[in-house]
Amino acid sequence: MNQIRGNLKCFYACIISMLTCLASVDASSERADWAPFFEQLKVEGTIVIYDERPGTEGLMTFNSVRAEKRFSPASTFKIPHTLFALDSEVIRDEFETVRWDGKKRANPEWDRDQDLRSAMRYSVVWVYQQFAKEIGATKERDYLKRIQYGNQDPSGKEPFWISGNLEISAHEQIKFLKRLYRNELPFTVANQRLVKDLMILEAGHDWILRGKAGWDGKVCWWVGWIEHATGPVFFALNIDTPNGTDDIPKREIITKTILNSIGALNLNVEPSAGGNG
């Protein structure tokens, strides 16, 4: 009898989970009218926007099939990875110096001592490789499970968030960002606020743009949100990059153009400075 009750509980839990997922998908508005923004720049990709301002469409998606597909997070993983590093105390705060190992790399901004602010701004991979080594694979996996990040798999070729097995979808990026925005992740509020401060890219008198880019050599990301007094607007875009670095600036141009089109942003669409990672 206990076995039957257990099986029934499992069955009902699965049904509830499926209905929840279906409700989430049904609530999403497919924005086929955003196709020209991708076509004009000759790229394949997807964008998910969750607009919490009153009177807006809420969850909007272009290319909903791809939005559910997982890709390497590349350097967008620096957002949660910074939380892991702070929580495990491999770095104390944004003022602590991470000493350069003296190895010359392709990006000259990487060839010097770093702190969390510069490592995030210039997407300094070697800093986070050092963090990963100090945190350790077991603890990395535990953190990923605690925050339900993508497929939660830190295995494979190093760095695992670029060349390894860790993957996440655009919808899952939005889910993670929403929790961070609300300080709902299983980390101290102080650390979550610090990471959000490190994510600031641009600001005006009544808005703040926070985000992080990433590129694994094949697919590049731009994720984040715009804070308005009336509510945040979250975004997660990924595109294929068959032309290598020539395609990278397109991620920011497409995202800003779409955000401009829904009245969430009113900015120049030229890409800003920062690392390609």
Side-chain angles (χ1 to χ4, degrees), residues 35-264:
F37 299 127
F38 291 82
E39 292 168 357
Q40 286 164 10
L41 294 177
K42 299 178 181 178
V43 293
E44 296 290 331
T46 186
I47 188 168
V48 178
I49 290 180
Y50 191 79
D51 192 342
E52 294 194 359
R53 296 173 299 166
T56 61
E57 289 189 49
L59 184 62
M60 296 170 280
T61 307
F62 169 71
N63 196 343
S64 57
V65 173
R66 182 178 173 123
E68 298 287 349
K69 185 178 179 181
R70 287 171 170 167
F71 298 94
S72 161
S75 284
T76 66
F77 184 62
K78 285 185 174 66
I79 302 173
H81 214 182
T82 303
L83 287 168
F84 300 175
L86 288 164
D87 186 73
S88 58
E89 299 182 339
V90 302
I91 192 164
R92 292 187 304 274
D93 52 37
E94 73 271 38
F95 304 110
E96 183 177 351
T97 298
V98 182
R99 298 296 178 189
W100 178 40
D101 57 12
K103 295 179 182 178
K104 293 285 186 178
R105 295 174 172 87
N107 190 334
E109 295 291 348
W110 294 8
D111 297 342
R112 59 181 176 85
D113 292 348
Q114 305 287 335
D115 55 30
L116 282 179
R117 202 168 295 281
S118 65
M120 183 74 82
R121 176 175 175 77
Y122 297 110
S123 214
V124 185
V125 174
W126 67 260
V127 170
Y128 285 85
Q129 287 179 295
Q130 182 171 317
F131 289 165
K133 184 177 180 180
E134 294 183 46
I135 293 169
T138 300
K139 204 165 185 179
E140 291 273 15
R141 188 179 295 275
D142 179 61
Y143 279 132
L144 289 166
K145 287 182 178 179
R146 282 169 59 185
I147 66 172
Q148 297 292 293
Y149 188 88
N151 66 355
Q152 306 164 43
D153 185 357
S155 65
K157 189 176 178 181
E158 296 295 334
F160 65 80
W161 58 93
I162 298 175
S163 305
N165 295 327
L166 184 63
E167 293 184 334
I168 191 169
S169 71
H171 276 298
E172 288 170 327
Q173 290 268 24
I174 294 290
K175 183 179 178 181
F176 166 74
L177 292 170
K178 286 168 64 180
R179 292 178 69 197
L180 175 60
Y181 171 80
R182 294 182 171 84
N183 299 319
E184 291 176 351
L185 294 168
F187 303 100
T188 66
V189 171
N191 284 346
Q192 291 180 79
R193 286 177 174 166
L194 171 55
V195 169
K196 288 185 285 188
D197 182 60
L198 299 174
M199 291 171 63
I200 294 176
L201 299 174
E202 300 177 65
H205 72 280
D206 60 354
W207 57 271
I208 300 173
L209 171 60
R210 305 179 196 264
K212 185 71 191 76
W215 184 47
D216 68 355
K218 296 179 181 178
V219 173
C220 68
W221 289 91
W222 201 37
V223 306
W225 67 84
I226 309 158
E227 292 175 20
H228 294 280
T230 53
V233 182
F234 300 91
F235 60 88
L237 170 140
N238 65 61
I239 59 172
D240 294 334
T241 57
N243 302 306
T245 55
D246 289 344
D247 286 329
I248 288 176
K250 298 174 184 179
R251 62 188 170 193
E252 192 170 329
I253 293 171
I254 294 169
T255 304
K256 284 185 174 181
T257 302
I258 290 174
L259 290 170
N260 283 345
S261 76
I262 63 172

